[in-house]
Amino acid sequence: MSLFNILNIAGSAMTAQSEKMNIIATNLANAESIIHKNGKYYPYIGKKVLFESYNLNEKGVAGVQVKKIIHKKNPIQMVYDPDNPLSNSKGYILKSNINPITETIENISASRAYQANIEVLKTAKNMILKTLSIGE
Amino acid sequence: MFEKINAMFNLNAHLLNLYAKREEILSSNIANSETPHYKAMDINFKDTFQKMLRNNKNFRITLKNTSKNHLTSKTKENNNHTLFSIQPIKTKNIKINGNTVDMNRERIEFIKNTLKYEENLIFIKNEIKNMMLVLKG
């Protein structure tokens, strides 16, 4: 029955959107972090989620899944901070390429999409329940 | 007697299936509102319903023959599964990532479709009520 399929579709979209919100939260939390790896210090590079639709059946009806998580390509900032022990010989340190404003706005958009899918889910559930109560 | 009851509900059953299918397509559009290169799909509903009426003998809307010279229309049997085609929506608004989902349209169509489905359910309920009334007296 196609109404039950709606639950799968909306569920897959909710999973994907919450994955996106998860990545955004990681980005915001690590906006100031510095990674220590192999004896060297690197700034944190922002991550981004790519969505992809995958076919649940042959008729063009599709759910969503996370295709892959890529690194953002914005330039890394150089900040003059000579007091920082990690700064180079000219007094600059590298800071992560995360823009908090962009992240916040993407977070809002992801949560709106999540809410839209919850509405779809609620409607489908009500429709199924009403169908079951035929003849009462 | 039972085939008459069957025939009574047949059209409604087909319609409910169609609405449920469309609900699924619209929900898929809403789910994929941010997927790159996703094209919004829909059923061409008016054509589909007309096809259904045309192909389904029991629910053919016919005119009474009041004269010998009137012609009766011919209908051919057709499978209901092949009736509707799902096509991408034609739109000029394409987002920068190749996505053609318009959330406002999808939400409104979704609500409309839900209401039509429930309206159909109420028709079925009323038909059952009528039958029970006749049976119980």
Side-chain angles (χ1 to χ4, degrees), chain B residues 55-72:
Chain B
N55 293 341
N56 212 330
K57 260 189 182 170
N58 295 331
F59 308 107
R60 194 158 42 104
I61 298 169
T62 47
L63 299 173
K64 238 181 200 167
N65 297 355
T66 49
S67 146
K68 272 181 191 171
N69 297 331
H70 284 167
L71 298 172
T72 50

Side-chain angles (χ1 to χ4, degrees), chain A residues 2 6 9-10 60-62 116-117 120 127, chain B residues 18-33 38 40-43 45 86 89 101-116:
Chain A
S2 21
I6 294 177
I9 293 169
V61 179
N117 279 298
V120 170
M127 277 166 80
Chain B
L18 207 57
Y19 284 129
K21 190 74 204 168
R22 183 153 187 255
E23 192 88 346
E24 190 190 344
I25 293 164
L26 291 174
S27 82
S28 148
N29 285 348
I30 292 176
N32 282 292
S33 63
Y38 179 82
M41 300 286 196
D42 207 345
I43 294 178
F45 200 74
I86 300 169
I89 297 169
V101 179
D102 175 2
M103 267 311 254
N104 302 319
R105 179 203 173 269
E106 298 305 332
R107 289 184 106 152
I108 287 171
E109 290 296 323
F110 191 81
I111 292 171
K112 265 195 214 165
N113 198 50
T114 312
L115 288 177
K116 280 176 187 165

Side-chain angles (χ1 to χ4, degrees), chain A residues 1-3 5-6 9-10 13 17 20 51-53 57 59-64 109-110 113 116-117 119-120 123 126-127 130-131 133-135, chain B residues 16-17 19-21 23-25 27-36 38 41 81 84 86 103 107 110 113-114 117-118 121 124-125 128-129:
Chain A
M1 199 174 138
S2 21
L3 280 181
N5 214 354
I6 294 177
I9 293 169
Q17 297 292 351
K20 187 179 178 184
F51 289 149
E52 160 187 67
S53 58
N57 62 14
K59 281 195 172 167
V61 179
V64 194
S109 123
N117 279 298
E119 294 293 324
V120 170
T123 316
N126 276 334
M127 277 166 80
K130 282 195 177 165
T131 315
S133 74
I134 287 182
Chain B
L16 279 186
N17 268 334
Y19 284 129
K21 190 74 204 168
E23 192 88 346
E24 190 190 344
I25 293 164
S27 82
S28 148
N29 285 348
I30 292 176
N32 282 292
S33 63
E34 290 187 10
T35 314
Y38 179 82
M41 300 286 196
H81 300 292
F84 52 81
I86 300 169
M103 267 311 254
R107 289 184 106 152
F110 191 81
N113 198 50
T114 312
Y117 185 92
E118 284 172 4
L121 282 183
I124 295 178
K125 270 187 190 172
I128 293 175
K129 241 185 229 167

